Amino acid sequence: MQTENAKDIIVCDGVKKWFGDFQALKGVTTTVKEQEVVVVIGPSGSGKSTLIRCINRLEAHQEGTIIVDGIELSNDVRNVEKIRSEVGMVFQQFNLFPHLTVLDNITLAPLWVRKNPRAEAEQVGMELLERVGIPEQANKYPGQLSGGQQQRVAIARALAMKPKVMLFDEPTSALDPEMIKEVLDVMKELALSGMTMIVVTHEMGFAREVADRVLFFDYGIIVEDGTPEHFFTNPQHDRTKLFLSQIL
Amino acid sequence: MADKSKIILPDIEEYAPEPPPKGPVVWAKDNLFYSIASTILTVVGAAIAIVFVGGMVGFILAPERKWEAITTNLRLLMIQAYPQEATWRIWLSLGAVLVLLGLSLAFWHAGGKTEPRKVGRSLAGFGGVVALVVVVAPFSISGRVIGLVVGAVMVTAGLGVVRLLGERAKESTIPTLVIIAIVAGLVIAALWVLKVPIPDPEAGAGQSRLQSIAATTTGPWTLLYLATIAAYFLGTVLRRVIPERTGRLALMVSWALSFPVIVLHLSRGVEFHGVGQYALVGLGFAIVGGAIIWTLADPVRGELGRGLAGLLLVLAIVSWAVSALILVRLLLLLLAMFALGGPTFAGGARETRTRYVLLWAGAVVITVYLMLLSTGVSVVATSNETVFGGFFLTWILAIAGIALSFPLGVVLALGRTSTMPIFRLLSTLYIEVIRGVPLITWLLVSVVVFPIFFPLDVSFVAPVKVTLFIAFFSAAYLAENVRGGLQSISKGQTEAASALGMTTLQRTVFITLPQALRAVIPALVGQVIAIFKDTSLVAIVGLFDILKIGRDIIPTQTQPFNFLGSMREALLAVAIIYWIFTFTFSRLSLRLEEKLGVGTR
């Protein structure tokens, strides 16, 4: 998926983040290249979700720099809105807008943030629903859909903004087991199409199959950084070995 | 795998066996006498009901009751002193509202389906109540016989419907709107057919002749009824011709404009003096303002556009402190609002900006028109400012109060939940001060204290002053309700909206507010009903609303009829009139909740 000499799209340098007295990120430095698929794994509370929430500034980091697509994240609201419209995010709890139909969920941001004409926005919306396999649900409300379908709508909603990067925050953790596959299939298809993705997940199968790189987080730092083969067959750190022995 | 829930749920309902029908004895045993305590409660409750209903109906039927005090004074109760020769304006306004209603019902596909079986059951139940009442209450023998026959016919007809449909009951449904139309039609027909004794001054004291309750209004009511139905069918045709979204938008704008236009038409004539000046000002604003908005909304301006729009707002506010044409002040304020909203709602593609500027031009035309109306000469020849009275005044105060208090209440709620301390402080202060003082006090403030804050050349008539304070008062309560709704929205919703790059304003308008308002519909309807009833307090500042008329005017009439001592009749009638409408509101709110509930969870 990743091509040679791809340009850096996300650069994190010494990112630190505190919640009160608790330090969630203790200096994270990493770079994501265009079309790269990075899977972030690690025990809960290790700071992996915090990192991707910092990348589109749902949380503000306190030290270090994050540069997304050439723009440094700061307190400037315009910069933040610009970056957010280029970075799609999919949440664990889907967070669809329950008062809008599926199609309206998808077209809302293209209409009002991108200011696209309605006809165009709706056409793109329907195409995306086709892509995630549920065009027939366009006029239903999120509450009438299964969890897997809702998460697929959430992915379509993020894609409608034509983002350069997609962030996934444990996209399958709130799903019933039989629905996880339908969401992972959509994500695989997305990765193969060349989307830059950062995925926080516990799905080791997905990491092994799709990831270009695996980051292992613990206690707010990147413990292990490498290809899936390296990570699953030849981890360097004891902490990684312990983690893998517990989950595999 | 897809649509699991959708497939399973209806199946269970459809294939579940109907519970075997129970006889009335079994039903009573299961529901009324299933234990010693329940038996005691049933007996005591029934006794209280019998005593109360008997007493009430006995009071209504007593020969010394002067119900003719109500039937001859219906006009007074409804519109008080509004001049007879201008009554057509009220009918026209009512007609306009009902036509809008008919069109809207069609465009929103209003009304569900009702099972005839349920209608049959209610009919039978109602017949049973009629029969029970004539037995319990002190009716004459012939009255009891008639009542029992009527009750029996209703029960038979109702049960007949239920039995006839029997098996097919589930599939056969009729639209709820048809039932409502039939009931309304029956009421109108009753106006033509049913006669009651009305005192006749020409025949001498104590003489009366049989007349329809609303003799002079039967024609107009019938016309309005037919116009509403015609408008509905027109709507069903129109919604096939024009796109639904466009039609609905046009109807919403019409609804918003209907109230100011109607109130102005009811009090003023369209006398276009100064039309040239107004048109010129309007044209200037439409063109120059349009250009300003176009320029500021252009994305290349960026932050500068917002800054300049803010400057416009300051200018508009300053214009209220210096001497200027009211029209200019209003249009400046409007322009500032449009300019501020520009980058959010119209930045980007050329066509959205063109549409936004056209919207501005439309707003200018409407403002000029309303201002022309409001400067016209009063058409209703009265010596004082209380030309609005009766139930009519109640409606005007309630609608204006609700219409003004909603935006204010929402702004206060947003202020109180804002992250900016100054807004939070101001909103909290406002809410706590307003809520801490009774409405009656605020009404007195409105007529006694409020005017001294304005220059001498600015004065409002009493209904405007009390409307403002009713709105201020109710906004404080609304704000607290809406705040509850805002706090019930999960953090994930705003995060998802933020992650899509939406601004704070867009998040509020499209995501949090709609959900917050839906969540608190019951509380909001409670507030609407409260405003509707609280308008009766305006009697304290000398306005003649329906309650004041019922309590103080009708029981003191001696000419041409002697209605002395009819206060209890009048109060009961007023209470019933209030109840009919408040009950309708609460039913409608249930429907609204069901309908909007589709989206939530």
Side-chain angles (χ1 to χ4, degrees), chain B residues 91 188 191-192 214-225:
Chain B
W91 288 116
I188 302 272
L191 284 182
W192 288 95
T216 53
T217 58
T218 328
W221 280 123
T222 314
L223 272 180
L224 289 187
Y225 174 69

Side-chain angles (χ1 to χ4, degrees), chain A residues 53 78 81 84 87 91 95-99 108 112-113 115 118 137 140-141 149 157 161 178-179 182, chain B residues 1 3 245 303 306 343-345 347 492-493 495-496 498-500 503 506 510-511 514-515 598-599:
Chain A
R53 288 167 63 85
R78 300 292 286 192
E81 277 163 13
R84 281 175 179 166
V87 177
F91 298 86
N95 291 343
L96 292 178
F97 308 129
H99 61 301
L108 187 68
W112 295 101
V113 179
K115 283 48 186 205
R118 182 173 291 276
Q137 312 286 354
K140 286 197 185 165
Y141 287 91
Q149 291 171 330
R157 177 176 70 177
M161 291 293 285
E178 80 260 34
M179 291 171 184
E182 63 186 66
Chain B
M1 179 126 183
D3 282 353
R245 199 183 280 273
E303 263 331 288
R306 277 174 213 252
T344 306
F345 296 106
Q493 290 289 312
E495 280 184 355
S498 300
L500 289 165
T503 62
Q506 287 170 336
F510 297 122
I511 307 301
Q515 294 187 53
V598 177

Side-chain angles (χ1 to χ4, degrees), chain A residues 59-77:
Chain A
E59 308 284 357
H61 60 281
Q62 283 120 349
E63 276 177 34
T65 52
I66 301 179
I67 297 171
V68 180
D69 196 26
I71 304 173
E72 186 182 342
L73 275 175
S74 63
N75 283 326
D76 187 336
V77 181

Side-chain angles (χ1 to χ4, degrees), chain A residues 13-231:
Chain A
D13 187 14
V15 176
K16 294 181 184 170
K17 163 80 189 165
W18 285 264
F19 291 106
D21 291 337
F22 174 71
Q23 188 172 8
L25 298 178
K26 296 174 181 164
V28 175
T29 303
T30 187
T31 303
V32 179
K33 291 185 185 308
E34 259 181 346
Q35 305 209 333
E36 196 175 13
V37 177
V38 176
V39 169
V40 183
I41 49 186
S44 45
S46 61
K48 52 195 195 306
S49 285
T50 308
L51 177 71
I52 68 167
R53 288 167 63 85
C54 281
I55 290 175
N56 68 353
R57 200 137 181 115
L58 287 178
E59 308 284 357
H61 60 281
Q62 283 120 349
E63 276 177 34
T65 52
I66 301 179
I67 297 171
V68 180
D69 196 26
I71 304 173
E72 186 182 342
L73 275 175
S74 63
N75 283 326
D76 187 336
V77 181
R78 300 292 286 192
N79 269 357
V80 171
E81 277 163 13
K82 178 90 182 61
I83 286 168
R84 281 175 179 166
S85 64
E86 304 297 340
V87 177
M89 174 122 180
V90 175
F91 298 86
Q92 181 177 1
Q93 300 295 340
F94 330 137
N95 291 343
L96 292 178
F97 308 129
H99 61 301
L100 300 175
T101 63
V102 164
L103 188 58
D104 286 341
N105 261 281
I106 296 173
T107 57
L108 187 68
L111 276 177
W112 295 101
V113 179
R114 288 263 189 266
K115 283 48 186 205
N116 290 342
R118 182 173 291 276
E120 186 193 318
E122 283 183 355
Q123 195 202 332
V124 171
M126 284 311 298
E127 284 167 13
L128 286 169
L129 281 176
E130 297 269 0
R131 190 168 168 193
V132 298
I134 39 175
E136 72 283 0
Q137 312 286 354
N139 293 313
K140 286 197 185 165
Y141 287 91
Q144 295 165 300
L145 270 51
S146 72
Q149 291 171 330
Q150 290 193 44
Q151 194 60 298
R152 285 190 277 165
V153 173
I155 294 173
R157 177 176 70 177
L159 289 176
M161 291 293 285
K162 303 201 168 70
K164 295 184 175 149
V165 183
M166 286 282 283
L167 308 175
F168 292 82
D169 189 1
E170 305 200 20
T172 54
S173 298
L175 294 174
D176 291 341
E178 80 260 34
M179 291 171 184
I180 291 176
K181 186 175 175 297
E182 63 186 66
V183 172
L184 289 182
D185 284 347
V186 169
M187 288 167 62
K188 266 178 222 167
E189 187 267 333
L190 197 59
L192 289 172
S193 76
M195 175 63 75
T196 314
M197 290 163 68
I198 303 181
V199 185
V200 172
T201 187
H202 296 294
E203 296 295 327
M204 295 306 148
F206 179 83
R208 206 182 287 237
E209 194 179 337
V210 184
D212 293 317
R213 245 169 80 206
V214 175
L215 299 183
F216 178 69
F217 255 76
D218 204 7
Y219 298 109
I221 48 167
I222 298 176
V223 176
E224 192 96 33
D225 179 352
T227 62
E229 295 85 37
H230 159 84
F231 178 77

Side-chain angles (χ1 to χ4, degrees), chain B residues 296-379:
Chain B
L296 294 189
D298 197 324
V300 301
R301 293 295 161 263
E303 263 331 288
L304 186 68
R306 277 174 213 252
L308 289 176
L311 212 62
L312 262 179
L313 185 65
V314 174
L315 188 69
I317 291 168
V318 168
S319 81
W320 287 85
V322 300
S323 163
L325 211 59
I326 301 232
L327 181 66
V328 174
R329 295 168 170 166
L330 275 178
L331 285 176
L332 263 179
L333 202 60
L334 205 60
L335 178 63
M337 297 291 173
F338 265 80
L340 277 175
T344 306
F345 296 106
R350 275 181 94 79
E351 45 197 304
T352 50
R353 262 192 299 158
T354 317
R355 210 183 308 150
Y356 196 66
V357 170
L358 286 178
L359 191 70
W360 154 252
V364 171
V365 171
I366 289 162
T367 315
V368 170
Y369 173 67
L370 287 180
M371 279 305 293
L372 271 176
L373 269 185
S374 67
T375 53
V377 172
S378 173
V379 277

